[in-house]
Amino acid sequence: VVITGIGLITPCGLTKDETWQQVITSKSGVATIQGFDTEGHGVTIAGECKGFAASEHLSKKQIKEMGRYAQLSVVASRACLEDAGITLTDEDRERCGTIIGVGLGGLEHLYAYSVTLRDRGPKKVSPYFIPQVIANLAAGQVAIDLGLQGVSYATTSACASSAHAIGDAADWIRWGRTPLMLAGGAEATVTALGIAGFAAMYALSKRNDDPAAASRPWDRGRDGFVCAEGAATLLLESESHAKARGATIYAEVTGYGATCDAYHITKPDPSGAGAKRAMAHALEAARLAPSDVDYVNAHATSTPAGDPQEAKAIMELFGSRATNDNLLVSSTKSAMGHLLGAAGGVEAALTALALKHGIVPPTLNLDDPDPELDLDFVPHEARERPLRHALSNSFGFGGTNGCLIFKKFADWPGLALLSK
């Protein structure tokens, strides 16, 4: 299973290339919130998709039917197919599935129509309300927009949603049920209700006076994650389907592991056992040893509890490879915040680009590293390094864990042997 197209809309850019360049040049997309009046809020910063205007891409009818999360997903999916350079045949459209991970869906409409119901009564609630809100309408709207008639559903597993979507989509191809799938994630919860809800849990950073420095994974000064929005869509194909049309291939999807901590509704298991098992299952699926992995794009959200738990799980699983600087580990959330249900999709795309270009994205704001965590977190600046295999972690509330493994694509046998 190979990745042949990438569409990204993130706080770091409205395209794949803009996002990649901003991430590898250590530029933050976090800023003071512009999307709503933050008066009275204890948190006033987020990663917004600055400059995104649905009216530039979608019809009035489409805008009326969609929540922002679905708008972002449709535009990212169009960009993905354009990036893939694919002209879908009727047979392709009939078989191509759509799996888009979404954590919360149309939160802005859920709030707005709750107010409408209270102030104006039930007859004033729009008939578009439910389609604007429900999580599977990112996948549904993408399928309608692009005419894709294969399987269509949402994976909703908090911040692991789109990692699970990509893992599931790869399995559909691997099982031989379809030669191509669109997969990824979308989220748009930078709303008054969303920020207030996460802030009430003491989950968010309060560095309002310095937004760009707020997301600081593994730094001793970290005080919570930065909420962000965006979308990522990847085109996955069987290698034979991709080669038959002469596609450019970013990377191969070789492993997928998923577990549950079964520990707490929001806190990760401090032992890291669930995270470690997810990574181990992905390695087993990819038929790799820990010593084969060169880079981990970590979940690392910049929370006091989550960051050390993941780092310790990595240290236990990878052993001496993790602590002798052969394994590079970084968090791209340091540049854009946490895209929740879309995070795994964005990070899968960035991991594939890292393999393609031989560049490891940096961890920003790591000024005072936690001394107990002995890993090479690639602080401040990107690093050029030939990569063979890379792993991307996504963990979520409820203890859900998803791990994906990608391999640098080798299209001739000699390189394949070397990359193994």
Side-chain angles (χ1 to χ4, degrees):
V1 180
V2 295
I3 300 169
T4 57
I6 296 174
L8 289 176
I9 303 174
T10 76
C12 286
L14 302 184
T15 67
K16 174 201 69 178
D17 292 339
E18 287 177 7
T19 296
W20 175 245
Q21 286 303 313
Q22 186 151 330
V23 167
I24 63 171
T25 55
S26 307
K27 295 176 183 175
S28 174
V30 178
T32 299
I33 292 170
Q34 301 297 314
F36 65 90
D37 184 356
T38 59
E39 184 177 356
H41 284 262
V43 174
T44 61
I45 56 174
E48 295 176 290
C49 296
K50 297 171 285 293
F52 176 79
S55 59
E56 295 178 2
H57 306 277
L58 305 171
S59 69
K60 290 181 179 179
K61 180 178 183 294
Q62 286 177 307
I63 292 171
K64 185 185 293 186
E65 292 177 347
M66 298 183 199
R68 183 173 171 88
Y69 74 104
Q71 295 170 5
L72 290 164
S73 190
V74 168
V75 177
S77 297
R78 290 178 182 176
C80 174
L81 291 189
E82 182 178 355
D83 182 61
I86 189 170
T87 301
L88 295 173
T89 65
D90 289 344
E91 185 179 11
D92 285 338
R93 292 183 192 279
E94 186 175 306
R95 295 189 295 175
C96 184
T98 314
I99 308 178
I100 306 294
V102 177
L104 284 166
L107 193 59
E108 74 275 26
H109 294 294
L110 185 63
Y111 171 76
Y113 284 115
S114 296
V115 173
T116 297
L117 177 64
R118 182 196 66 195
D119 295 346
R120 302 177 65 194
K123 292 184 178 180
K124 294 298 182 181
V125 174
S126 169
Y128 294 108
F129 164 56
I130 298 300
Q132 289 168 340
V133 171
I134 56 177
N136 79 299
L137 256 295
Q141 290 284 11
V142 167
I144 291 167
D145 185 69
L146 299 174
L148 309 180
Q149 299 169 14
V151 63
S152 173
Y153 63 88
T155 46
T156 300
S157 47
C159 306
S161 295
S162 49
H164 288 148
I166 293 167
D168 282 6
D171 281 346
W172 274 82
I173 296 172
R174 200 167 281 119
W175 294 333
R177 301 178 75 174
T178 177
L180 71 171
M181 293 283 291
L182 276 186
E187 201 77 276
T189 58
V190 183
T191 67
L193 184 60
I195 297 297
F198 283 116
M201 299 170 64
Y202 300 100
L204 299 182
S205 172
K206 294 183 178 179
R207 288 178 179 261
N208 297 321
D209 57 341
D210 193 4
S215 184
R216 43 196 321 108
W218 301 298
D219 188 85
R220 285 202 287 189
R222 66 190 184 277
D223 67 330
F225 72 82
V226 174
C227 195
E229 64 175 3
T233 305
L234 283 64
L235 180 63
L236 307 184
E237 298 184 63
S238 67
E239 182 179 343
S240 59
H241 190 275
K243 284 186 171 180
R245 67 178 189 85
T248 297
I249 294 173
Y250 287 102
E252 184 179 351
V253 185
T254 57
Y256 170 43
T259 64
C260 182
D261 289 355
Y263 175 76
H264 189 270
I265 58 171
T266 58
K267 296 176 184 177
D269 182 347
S271 74
K276 181 180 175 182
R277 283 189 298 112
M279 290 185 282
H281 291 335
L283 285 168
E284 182 180 5
R287 300 178 183 178
L288 296 177
S291 58
D292 294 318
V293 175
D294 301 306
Y295 170 55
V296 176
N297 186 301
H299 181 67
T301 62
S302 183
T303 58
D307 291 6
Q309 170 262 354
E310 181 180 12
K312 289 174 183 176
I314 292 170
M315 291 163 66
E316 285 187 17
L317 180 64
F318 289 91
S320 60
R321 182 164 183 79
T323 55
N324 66 9
D325 295 337
N326 285 328
L327 180 70
L328 302 183
V329 181
S330 73
S331 172
T332 47
K333 290 184 179 75
S334 62
M336 65 182 71
H338 188 0
L339 277 75
L340 308 176
V346 171
E347 290 155 17
L350 295 175
T351 303
L353 290 168
L355 285 163
K356 180 75 172 176
H357 298 298
I359 300 175
V360 175
T363 302
L364 306 190
N365 305 314
L366 187 52
D367 302 324
D368 186 12
D370 191 321
E372 295 184 8
L373 307 177
D374 185 21
L375 292 169
D376 186 341
F377 293 122
V378 196
H380 305 302
E381 295 183 358
R383 200 173 303 171
E384 292 190 23
R385 170 82 67 87
L387 303 172
R388 303 166 299 160
H389 304 277
L391 181 153
S392 180
N393 280 335
S394 296
F395 310 137
F397 286 173
T400 183
N401 306 306
C403 176
L404 297 166
I405 295 182
F406 306 95
K407 176 184 176 183
K408 183 176 178 63
F409 183 72
D411 59 3
W412 56 276
L415 185 58
L417 284 172
L418 287 172
S419 68
K420 191 173 181 181

